[in-house]
Every structure is written in structure tokens, then in C-alpha cells.
Amino acid sequence: MQPELQKLYSLLTSDNEPSILLALESLAKLSQLEKVFLTPLAFHGFLNPHLSNPKATQIAKLTFNKYASSSLKEVVAKRQNLAIISHPDIVDKLFFFKKTYYESRYHCAYTLHCLESYDEISEASWITKLDIEPGKYNIQCFSKILRKLPNVVDISVRGCKINEFTDDLPNNHTLTRLDLRGCGLLTLPRHLGNLKKLEWLLLSDNQISELPESLCSLENVTILDFDNNDLKQLPQNIGNLKMLNKLYLSGNNIATLPKSIGNLTNLEILCLADNSISGLPASLGALSNLTALNLDNNQLAKLPRNIVHLG
């Protein structure tokens, strides 16, 4: 921690009210990053035991309201009466990060805030699961967050707005379940195939119009959910997904299916309702493990002869 920041930290966490007041008045001189770091300490709920002076309490409140992010305000509102942070535990920019993650799902919003805002936090290796309450956060760049979670296994940010999902994905060897349903996505990263361990990929209720070819290298994926998007076609090599068990594609604009779909020999559920399909490849008859096939509301005039052998 920088010396000036360390000094203010010491003042804010002291038992001396004049020192706390001095620190509060000095916050305005700090950079935005430093303000974001120190304003949780300025919140009157954390400093109440040492603040009897009404002026000090008022400055603490004003400082918090001016500089704290919306996600931090939400977290504090949910837990302002809980004594889960002690001053000696606050040693660097990881303090809220570590303290709030395990308390409640609401606190994950501040975890995301830290991942996005603090470049000093290069990784959060202790996080294996990130589950945000649907619709509770606006994510600027999802890839930036993912790069800082080297040991994450399960991520669910369903219903949270994602402004960017860029191509610079890590070669992530841990993520197995990714839930980005209803996140307002228009595109997917070209290097989606970097997520080699991925087993569940849930992307329904977005506005995705094209799937990257690298999707076909997700050799461990068992469930793909692309319901209610704007897909026109599937990657030609989708048949490479040998482990795929469930494929949901209803509510798109798909007109044709690639022949390689017949190579998905482990597929049990295939949902293609509400598309624009006018014909099916004969290879579809090779899906010997298929137990559910939904083709409602398409433009089919006939079915391949060998489809009778399915299931």
C-alpha cells in the first residue's frame, strides 16, 4: 500500500475521533481508485463506535454517498447491521474482497466490482464459485473478470447486463459451468474454445447471431443452451462435440442443420422448435441415443426416412 494511503488507513481505523475526521477530509485529495478503496471505512456504520461528533458522522455519510460505487452501496445496505469486518483485518485492497464473498450472494456484487476496478488484483485464486443474484449487476467486460479467476469452477451471472465479452480469454483449465442467460449478449468471443474444461454452457435469452467455430473444440461440453437467440446457422464442425448430451436451439432463425450433427452420438435431447428449418439432413438418423426431438413450428414438408430409427 502506498505510504499516503497507509497513513489515511491508520487514521481511519484509529480510536481517535480528530484523526478520523482529518482522514475523512483528506479523502477528496486521493485518486478515484484510492477513494473507492477507503470509502467503505468512511461509512458511518463501520465507524460508529468512534464517532460522537455530528460533523464527523455527516462527513462520513457524505463521503460514502459521493464516492462509493452503486454495487458497494447495495452491499452495505444489505449488511450494514452485521459486524463482519474488524479494522485489523483491513490490510490492503483485498479486504472487502475476501470478507464479503462468503457472507451472502449479495456480496458477490462487490466481488465483481473489485475484479473490474482494481488492476492491482491480478487474480483471486480463492474463488471457485461466483453466483450473482439475477439482474443485480452491470458487467463492463466479462473477459476481464474471467482472467482474474484462475481456479473458478462455476460462474452464474444470469440476468446481469454484460457490455463486453472480448476475445482475450484465458486458457482456463478449471471452469466447468458458465451461466450467462439473459445477459444481453450480441456476440461470443472467437476464442471460446479456450475454456477447455467447460461442461455446461448456458446462453439462452440473448441476441447472439453467430457461434464461433472454436465452440466445436469444447470436447468436454455436455449441455449447450442457445434457446431464444438470433442464430441463423450452426458451426459446420458441431459434430466434434462427442460428449454433448443436450442441445437446446429453440426460438432462433435456423434454416438448415450441418451434416455433422449426425456425429453427436451421445445426444439425448435436441430442441429445434420455433425455427425456419425446411429440411433435415439424413445424418440425423444416426443419433441412436436420442430420446427427445422437438421440431414444432418449423417449415418441414417431410422427414428423412431413417428418422424412424431414432430412440
Side-chain angles (χ1 to χ4, degrees):
M1 193 184 298
Q2 297 176 4
E4 182 182 5
L5 203 58
Q6 179 65 58
K7 180 180 178 180
L8 284 179
Y9 160 78
S10 299
L11 292 175
L12 281 170
T13 56
S14 70
D15 295 333
N16 185 282
E17 187 167 21
S19 296
I20 295 172
L21 186 59
L22 176 63
L24 290 171
E25 292 175 337
S26 301
L27 282 176
K29 302 175 183 178
L30 299 179
S31 69
Q32 186 60 34
L33 178 63
E34 291 165 337
K35 289 172 185 173
V36 170
F37 167 48
L38 286 176
T39 47
L41 294 178
F43 180 54
H44 65 97
F46 300 151
L47 299 179
N48 255 349
H50 307 307
L51 293 182
S52 59
N53 186 324
K55 181 181 179 182
T57 302
Q58 182 181 21
I59 290 178
K61 289 181 179 180
L62 291 175
T63 304
F64 180 82
N65 289 333
K66 182 175 181 180
Y67 296 121
S69 66
S70 58
S71 58
L72 174 56
K73 289 176 181 176
E74 180 185 348
V75 169
V76 169
K78 296 293 183 182
R79 42 149 291 178
Q80 59 182 326
N81 295 321
L82 302 177
I84 66 168
I85 291 185
S86 61
H87 294 322
D89 292 330
I90 303 172
V91 293
D92 58 25
K93 291 183 176 64
L94 298 179
F95 79 97
F96 240 154
F97 215 0
K98 290 182 177 178
K99 283 291 180 180
T100 61
Y101 180 73
Y102 299 102
E103 296 299 328
S104 135
R105 69 187 308 178
Y106 289 105
H107 300 163
C108 291
Y110 193 64
T111 300
L112 286 179
H113 169 77
C114 289
L115 284 168
E116 287 197 303
S117 301
Y118 299 155
D119 290 336
E120 289 88 343
I121 300 174
S122 59
E123 66 174 40
S125 58
W126 60 91
I127 295 179
T128 58
K129 183 177 181 179
L130 193 61
D131 185 7
I132 307 299
E133 187 177 21
K136 287 294 184 180
Y137 197 73
N138 190 338
I139 299 171
Q140 294 303 314
C141 183
F142 183 72
S143 299
K144 181 178 182 180
I145 292 171
L146 195 57
R147 289 196 303 274
K148 295 185 177 184
L149 299 173
N151 296 318
V152 70
V153 174
D154 187 339
I155 295 179
S156 176
V157 292
R158 182 178 182 179
C160 297
K161 172 66 176 176
I162 296 178
N163 294 321
E164 282 189 295
F165 194 0
T166 53
D167 287 334
D168 50 341
L169 287 178
N171 284 310
N172 191 292
H173 299 294
T174 59
L175 187 64
T176 61
R177 185 179 184 275
L178 181 58
D179 186 350
L180 302 180
R181 288 176 287 179
C183 290
L185 290 170
L186 301 176
T187 60
L188 293 176
R190 290 176 298 167
H191 306 306
L192 191 65
N194 285 1
L195 306 178
K196 299 295 186 183
K197 296 293 185 180
L198 207 58
E199 297 177 8
W200 288 36
L201 179 57
L202 310 178
L203 289 162
S204 61
D205 302 309
N206 284 287
Q207 293 94 48
I208 300 166
S209 59
E210 185 178 1
L211 299 178
E213 193 64 37
S214 67
L215 174 77
C216 302
S217 65
L218 298 176
E219 58 185 25
N220 291 297
V221 73
T222 61
I223 298 177
L224 290 177
D225 184 359
F226 296 113
D227 279 353
N228 303 317
N229 275 277
D230 193 28
L231 297 175
K232 309 295 190 300
Q233 60 184 9
L234 301 179
Q236 291 300 311
N237 293 322
I238 197 168
N240 292 346
L241 304 176
K242 303 297 185 182
M243 300 296 292
L244 192 61
N245 186 260
K246 298 177 178 66
L247 179 56
Y248 299 98
L249 294 162
S250 296
N252 283 278
N253 294 303
I254 298 171
T256 61
L257 299 176
K259 293 181 180 179
S260 71
I261 199 168
N263 296 331
L264 301 176
T265 52
N266 281 310
L267 200 63
E268 294 180 5
I269 297 176
L270 177 57
C271 293
L272 291 162
D274 302 305
N275 278 283
S276 304
I277 301 171
S278 57
L280 297 172
S283 61
L284 199 67
L287 302 179
S288 56
N289 287 310
L290 203 64
T291 59
L293 174 61
N294 189 344
L295 292 165
D296 290 348
N297 298 320
N298 277 281
Q299 300 174 15
L300 292 167
K302 61 179 182 178
L303 300 175
R305 292 180 180 178
N306 61 353
I307 202 172
V308 297
H309 301 297
L310 294 179

